[in-house]
Amino acid sequence: MSFEANSDRSINGIYSLIIGVAIGSLLYIALPEVFQSLIDVMNNKIDTIGK
């Protein structure tokens, strides 16, 4: 019984680790795109205000 509980816990840990790595890599890829688009929008607004 205790062995099954330990194996379940380790499998859950592996799954959460895989999910965490997947989410982390997705954020690492997606965040620069989001920041770049935000910077572009801000630059456009500043340009329109300046003109």
Side-chain angles (χ1 to χ4, degrees), residues 3-37:
F3 174 74
E4 289 179 3
N6 285 338
S7 66
D8 282 350
R9 194 176 302 141
S10 66
I11 288 173
N12 283 339
I14 291 170
Y15 276 132
S16 63
L17 183 70
I18 291 172
I19 290 170
V21 168
I23 291 174
S25 54
L26 279 176
L27 285 177
Y28 184 73
I29 293 169
L31 277 178
E33 301 283 329
V34 171
F35 277 124
Q36 192 59 51
S37 61

